[in-house]
Amino acid sequence: MKREVRRQEIMDMLVQEGSVGLETLATHFGVSRMTIHRDLDDLEQAGVLRKVRGGATIETGTQFESDFRFRERQGGAAKQLMARAALNLVEPGATVIVNDGSMAAVLGGMLVERRPLTVITNNFAVIEALQSERGIGLIALGGSYSAKYNGFFGLLTEESLSRLRADVAFISSPAVSGLVSFHMDDAVVRAKRAMMRAASRRYLLVGHQRFGHSALHVMAELGEFDAILTDADPGGSCLGELREAGIELNIAGDLIQ
C-alpha cells in the first residue's frame, strides 16, 4: 500500500473512532511500528492529529483542535440540530455574523431559508455555500487563510470587523469549563472577540460533549452571550451552575420540537 493511501486510511479511521492505537494500526496495515510512528509524526506535523501514548487522537486537547476536514465529517446530527435551532433566532432582513468552524458551516448553509439576509463571515465553507445565492448579501472577511480552520484570520479580519455592525453573531467554542469558554488558538480568539463586539446579540454554539473542558486561551465569559445553544443536556452540575449564574442555556431539541 502506498504511503499516501495508508495515511488517508489512518485519517478515516480517526474520523470513525476518534482515537486509534499504534499496535492496531501496525497490525491493520501489516507494517512496522516504526513505519506507523513516521506516519503519525508527519500527520501531527501537518496539524491533523495529536500523538498520544500508544497511538493518536483527533479529540480536542488544551492546545489542539483537529483539522476542519475531520470536524466537518463528525457529529452531523448534532450540528444539524444546533444549526436548525440557531436558524430560529434569525429574522429575514437581518445582518448575521457566522464564525469559523464546522458547526457554523452547517448553519451558514441553512441561512438561505431566512433570506433576504446580509451575512458576514470568515468561514470559507460558508462563503462557498452562499456566494451564488440570490437574496444573500455576502461580506467575506479577508485575512490570512488557515487550512486547519478553513477560515480567514489576522489583522485584516479584525480591522474589517471593527468597521461593521450586525444584528446577531453566532460564535462557536470547542471548550467550556465553569462559566468560561475557551479556544486553542489566539488568532481565532481575536477574530471571535471582534465578531462579538460587532453584534447587538451574541449566541454561543457549543456541543454538549465540549462542556467540562478547557483550552489554552480564554475566549469569553459565558455571561457575555445572550444565550448558549447546545445539542443535548451536558449533564453533571452544568445546568445548575449556569442557572445560578443567570445564564440561559437552550437545548436545541427543545427549541425545534
Side-chain angles (χ1 to χ4, degrees), residues 109-255:
M110 290 183 180
L111 287 175
V112 293
E113 299 178 30
R114 292 291 187 270
R115 59 184 138 197
L117 288 176
T118 297
V119 179
I120 302 169
T121 187
N122 66 335
N123 190 321
F124 190 57
V126 176
I127 294 169
E128 287 188 307
L130 299 181
Q131 62 182 337
S132 300
E133 292 290 343
R134 294 181 179 179
I136 299 292
L138 180 62
I139 299 177
L141 298 168
S144 299
Y145 177 71
S146 166
K148 181 180 180 68
Y149 296 108
N150 199 32
F152 298 89
F153 305 93
L155 186 60
L156 289 176
T157 309
E158 296 157 32
E159 287 191 344
S160 296
L161 284 162
S162 73
R163 297 176 179 274
L164 297 168
R165 291 296 178 267
D167 297 296
V168 58
F170 293 103
I171 308 296
S172 56
S173 172
V176 169
S177 180
L179 302 178
V180 180
S181 61
F182 297 85
H183 201 279
M184 303 79 181
D185 191 293
D186 60 338
V188 177
V189 169
R190 291 195 302 271
K192 291 176 187 287
R193 296 269 335 155
M195 290 177 174
M196 292 171 65
R197 289 191 294 270
S200 298
R201 291 180 289 125
R202 298 167 292 275
Y203 295 98
L204 179 66
L205 307 178
V206 53
H208 76 281
Q209 294 178 328
R210 304 286 192 161
F211 284 83
H213 299 277
S214 63
L216 183 60
H217 300 283
V218 170
M219 187 181 82
E221 302 285 337
L222 299 188
E224 297 180 62
F225 297 96
D226 291 84
I228 302 168
L229 183 62
T230 189
D231 59 306
D233 187 340
S237 60
C238 291
L239 286 176
E241 189 174 8
L242 295 174
R243 192 175 294 118
E244 185 176 344
I247 295 170
E248 181 180 341
L249 177 67
N250 294 318
I251 309 299
D254 297 339
L255 298 178

Side-chain angles (χ1 to χ4, degrees), residues 84-103:
R84 182 60 58 185
L87 191 66
N88 289 338
L89 300 170
V90 177
E91 296 291 337
T95 298
V96 182
I97 293 176
V98 180
N99 76 171
D100 66 287
S102 58
M103 205 252 90

Side-chain angles (χ1 to χ4, degrees), residues 6-7 10 20-42 51-56:
R6 184 175 64 249
R7 291 179 179 181
I10 290 173
V20 65
L22 185 66
E23 290 289 353
T24 299
L25 292 172
T27 301
H28 178 81
F29 293 108
V31 296
S32 69
R33 289 166 54 95
M34 187 56 66
T35 295
I36 296 297
H37 267 301
R38 286 195 294 268
D39 287 341
L40 298 183
D41 284 340
D42 288 346
K51 287 186 72 176
V52 295
R53 183 181 295 275

